[in-house]
Amino acid sequence: MYNLRLLRNILPIAGHAHPRWLASQHKRRPQPGSLPPDRLEQLRSDLFERREELSGAEWTEVRQSLVDGYKHINGHNVDAVILGVCSAPNQLALAKNYVEFLRSRGSKPNAATLGRLLRVYNAAYHERPLSEAEQSEILQICRSLQAEHETLDASSCENVIHGLVATSGDDWQRGVPLLEMMKVTSTPSVAAYSALTEKAFHVASPEQELAWLLLEEMATARKPPKCEVYLALLNRLANETAQLPAQLSRLLQFLERHEILVSQRVAIRLQELSSQVPQLLHTRTTHLGALGKCQSCQQHLQPVAISDEEFRQLSECFLERVLIRRDVFQRSTPEEVARFKKFVEKTAPYDCVIDGLNVAYSTGTKKTPQQMAKLVATVVRHFREQDKRVLVLGREHMRNWSKQAMHYVHSNASLFLTSNLSHDDPFLLYATLRSGQETDFFSRDLMRSHAFHLGTELKPIFRRWQQEHQFSLVTQTQTGQIIVKEPVRHRLCAHQVAGTWHVPYCAQYTPHPTDSFEVPANWLCIQLKEQTTPATKTKTKTTR
Ligand SMILES: [Zn+2]
């Protein structure tokens, strides 16, 4: 039998001092996946990872110690917590052993517990093929969960989806309506979307369209697909090389449309695929030199600039929202907007529009009004020295800032002050777009909501326009000099130049990629060749 004294040492005992995290954690309903790493990790490594089963007495002890030792663990959630701790692919036997223990003492595992068990089956499925018996256990659990509740909550839906995709028949397709069910309360999670999309890419051809549909849907909802989704497609293409040129080009276009960076894992798989079918695909890792020159093929990446026609569409759409839908200047009064428009008609066009408050605060908010005013004046001087016509947007309270610096701003730029409650970016975008295609703006704001509200078609055009025209302040040196971040003039996402794809990738998958315009350090230079020989289906074995 396991040494119960060791177990007592691992777990905190009721009444003893608790770690500080408990103070903030115990009020929220805990999710097993988000448990504090310290002692539960120790339980995992010192006990669970060494055993395939525990005796009834040991499980009772583990269960009771957790309930006694952690304020946020109670009789209702302790079982899911335990299964959350033994969730590694090789701990399926132990997880099942725990559920058997629960049943043996006459208690019925709740939905959260069974859901956790399905996740352990899924983890095992990603390591090895599941046996027939294991698959029917999964289906049995899914059926019982669905039979008990007409509508499942989002996390149960996600768990059932993870169970269904781990089986080999058509049952996984029952996950699609569950995804719809999740939409009743919120946007389905990346995990749920990814699990289904991965499966749809993995199985036979007719489901490919479903996979592409889900991929598009999740990207539009700003849920970046997990690496496994792309890997499932690439593994499939390794076996069905006839489809490779068309499907891979579809994938690259998808990455371009949604400005998605794949991870290094996916980049490596692409290179492997390339060495497997060199007649179809040629892939090199590369870096960019000055002015966006690919060090592999020596071509320059495409300029980010948009066409005259695209600019016309963009500014018309934005101005239409200002004039007709009136949902842009939401925080300003109609009088203020009218006064601003009149001001712009009189003083435009500008070469650069500066968000004064954004500049003032960009080196920290603890500056004196004098320092902030001086900073704005320095940025104005930066553009005046290049003979640029400048508009500075500010707030009423800036009138009280340093007279001398504000006097410089006033006499070297047009200055428009809005009420202290207004948002600055609508004014900034209006004045910049109204001034024409060559006009730049100065702000660190990422303009996310404006990009979003323009809709799926105009959003990428807005982002390219933004990248080409946005300047911002990096820092101010000790001597008062400013360092200005200038726009990167070439494209930063996957795109094609003269038949060659350039695809940026990042070290690791992140569910929340930044919207800033940083140049990715790592790129792939990919040449997709047309299939010249008759389509052949090769039976190469691949690893998942
Ligand atoms: Zn290249």
Side-chain angles (χ1 to χ4, degrees):
M1 180 186 265
Y2 186 77
N3 185 343
L4 288 181
R5 207 174 55 200
L6 173 61
L7 188 60
R8 287 192 195 98
N9 291 340
I10 294 172
L11 297 166
I13 303 302
H16 285 215
H18 293 294
R20 194 189 295 166
W21 54 262
L22 274 179
S24 59
Q25 291 270 324
H26 78 277
K27 286 177 193 153
R28 280 182 280 146
R29 202 174 151 213
Q31 295 291 316
S34 62
L35 284 167
D38 48 11
R39 306 224 181 176
L40 291 166
E41 257 317 311
Q42 210 181 340
L43 177 66
R44 187 202 307 272
S45 60
D46 290 359
L47 181 60
F48 289 178
E49 281 180 2
R50 298 175 183 189
R51 304 282 293 273
E52 287 211 338
E53 57 177 44
L54 265 63
S55 70
E58 286 170 318
W59 279 128
T60 307
E61 175 78 6
V62 169
R63 199 174 185 277
Q64 196 55 46
S65 315
L66 287 171
V67 172
D68 290 346
Y70 292 90
K71 281 187 187 168
H72 69 291
I73 299 179
N74 52 44
H76 185 71
N77 64 18
V78 64
D79 302 329
V81 168
I82 289 174
L83 289 191
V85 180
C86 53
S87 59
N90 58 356
Q91 288 173 328
L92 179 58
L94 186 65
K96 282 164 66 176
N97 176 248
Y98 181 65
V99 174
E100 279 160 26
F101 155 76
L102 291 178
R103 290 192 170 124
S104 73
R105 46 173 241 170
S107 49
K108 195 174 156 215
N110 62 22
T113 308
L114 292 176
R116 273 281 136 195
L117 182 60
L118 290 176
R119 301 300 277 256
V120 190
Y121 275 106
N122 184 279
Y125 157 76
H126 278 90
E127 292 274 305
R128 61 173 174 87
L130 297 186
S131 69
E132 290 285 328
E134 287 168 327
Q135 293 185 37
S136 57
E137 286 157 17
I138 291 176
L139 294 174
Q140 175 59 37
I141 296 171
C142 294
R143 265 195 299 272
S144 75
L145 282 172
Q146 288 189 276
E148 272 176 44
H149 310 273
E150 200 177 322
T151 312
L152 291 174
D153 62 69
S155 90
S156 293
C157 286
E158 185 180 308
N159 292 334
V160 172
I161 287 172
H162 278 80
L164 292 172
V165 298
T167 63
S168 56
D170 286 339
D171 292 287
W172 69 271
Q173 292 180 355
R174 289 195 279 130
V176 180
L178 289 174
L179 202 66
E180 292 303 312
M181 199 183 278
M182 292 175 86
K183 290 179 192 167
V184 174
T185 48
S186 60
T187 312
S189 60
V190 170
Y193 264 127
S194 292
L196 272 178
T197 315
E198 177 192 350
K199 185 72 177 182
F201 271 135
H202 182 70
V203 298
S205 287
E207 302 309 332
Q208 300 279 301
E209 281 314 309
L210 172 64
W212 286 110
L213 200 86
L214 293 173
L215 206 57
E216 200 64 40
E217 199 176 292
M218 66 189 298
T220 306
R222 295 184 52 79
K223 307 266 177 190
K226 288 189 171 186
C227 308
E228 286 78 9
V229 175
Y230 304 116
L231 295 175
L233 173 63
L234 297 180
N235 290 340
R236 181 182 177 73
L237 294 179
N239 288 327
E240 295 180 4
T241 52
Q243 288 191 25
L244 190 142
Q247 293 283 302
L248 197 53
S249 131
R250 191 170 178 182
L251 175 66
L252 298 175
Q253 284 167 24
F254 165 82
L255 297 177
E256 173 176 11
R257 195 161 53 248
H258 295 284
E259 299 181 48
I260 291 176
L261 261 68
V262 293
S263 70
Q264 188 170 19
R265 238 177 113 194
V266 177
I268 290 173
R269 188 70 190 94
L270 264 166
Q271 285 175 273
E272 288 168 358
L273 191 58
S274 197
S275 50
Q276 184 193 324
V277 282
Q279 73 280 15
L280 292 178
L281 186 63
H282 186 260
T283 304
R284 287 269 171 83
T285 53
T286 184
H287 298 283
L288 301 182
L291 303 173
K293 186 178 183 183
C294 170
Q295 302 296 289
S296 174
C297 70
Q298 307 301 321
Q299 295 192 84
H300 281 96
L301 296 200
Q302 198 181 61
V304 72
I306 57 176
S307 69
D308 295 356
E309 175 56 22
E310 285 169 330
F311 179 77
R312 191 190 58 75
Q313 283 176 13
L314 178 65
S315 54
E316 267 180 19
C317 174
F318 183 82
L319 296 177
E320 185 194 287
R321 283 189 52 215
V322 170
L323 298 171
I324 298 163
R325 288 169 51 195
R326 298 168 193 272
D327 58 351
V328 175
F329 291 96
Q330 285 179 350
R331 299 280 297 270
S332 312
T333 61
E335 292 74 31
E336 184 173 71
V337 176
R339 184 167 67 88
F340 177 63
K341 282 189 201 154
K342 219 180 209 173
F343 177 86
V344 171
E345 296 315 315
K346 217 168 69 189
T347 57
Y350 322 102
D351 297 311
C352 185
V353 181
I354 297 171
D355 183 338
L357 205 62
N358 188 286
V359 166
Y361 287 150
S362 56
T363 56
T365 49
K366 286 183 181 151
K367 295 277 162 78
T368 63
Q370 177 144 7
Q371 287 170 312
M372 293 197 282
K374 229 173 148 183
L375 188 55
V376 175
T378 311
V379 172
V380 170
R381 183 175 296 120
H382 175 84
F383 288 99
R384 280 302 293 151
E385 281 171 359
Q386 302 167 43
D387 246 353
K388 300 273 174 82
R389 284 173 59 96
V390 177
L391 166 67
V392 175
L393 296 167
R395 301 275 175 85
E396 281 295 341
H397 69 81
M398 285 165 69
R399 284 189 198 284
N400 307 325
W401 287 6
S402 150
K403 289 266 179 303
Q404 195 191 354
M406 290 313 283
H407 177 74
Y408 177 85
V409 172
H410 227 299
S411 36
N412 286 278
S414 302
L415 177 65
F416 187 85
L417 301 177
T418 64
S419 92
N420 291 338
L421 293 175
S422 285
H423 278 162
D424 299 313
D425 36 335
F427 291 91
L428 179 94
L429 292 176
Y430 180 90
T432 312
L433 287 168
R434 199 78 182 81
S435 289
Q437 201 168 349
E438 302 306 317
T439 304
D440 299 317
F441 66 96
F442 198 102
S443 167
R444 293 212 296 194
D445 197 303
L446 291 171
M447 311 280 168
R448 281 198 189 98
S449 68
H450 293 287
F452 179 78
H453 281 117
L454 285 165
T456 44
E457 221 167 281
L458 275 177
K459 185 186 162 190
I461 296 177
F462 176 84
R463 294 266 305 158
R464 287 177 68 169
W465 171 80
Q466 184 187 359
Q467 186 195 321
E468 191 195 357
H469 293 286
Q470 183 162 21
F471 287 73
S472 60
L473 189 64
V474 178
T475 188
Q476 188 174 29
T477 64
Q478 294 283 335
T479 56
Q481 277 186 319
I482 53 167
I483 297 175
V484 172
K485 184 178 171 191
E486 305 223 348
V488 179
R489 304 286 179 179
H490 61 79
R491 297 185 67 186
L492 303 174
C493 62
H495 69 279
Q496 226 174 343
V497 181
T500 303
W501 278 94
H502 290 92
V503 180
Y505 64 92
C506 53
Q508 264 183 328
Y509 170 82
T510 162
H512 305 292
T514 157
D515 276 340
S516 66
F517 300 102
E518 302 298 332
V519 184
N522 301 302
W523 292 73
L524 292 176
C525 176
I526 302 177
Q527 274 175 307
L528 258 174
K529 300 168 193 170
E530 285 304 314
Q531 183 118 14
T532 46
T533 49
T536 48
K537 190 172 173 179
T538 53
K539 281 281 176 196
T540 317
K541 180 150 179 22
T542 56
T543 47
R544 280 221 328 256

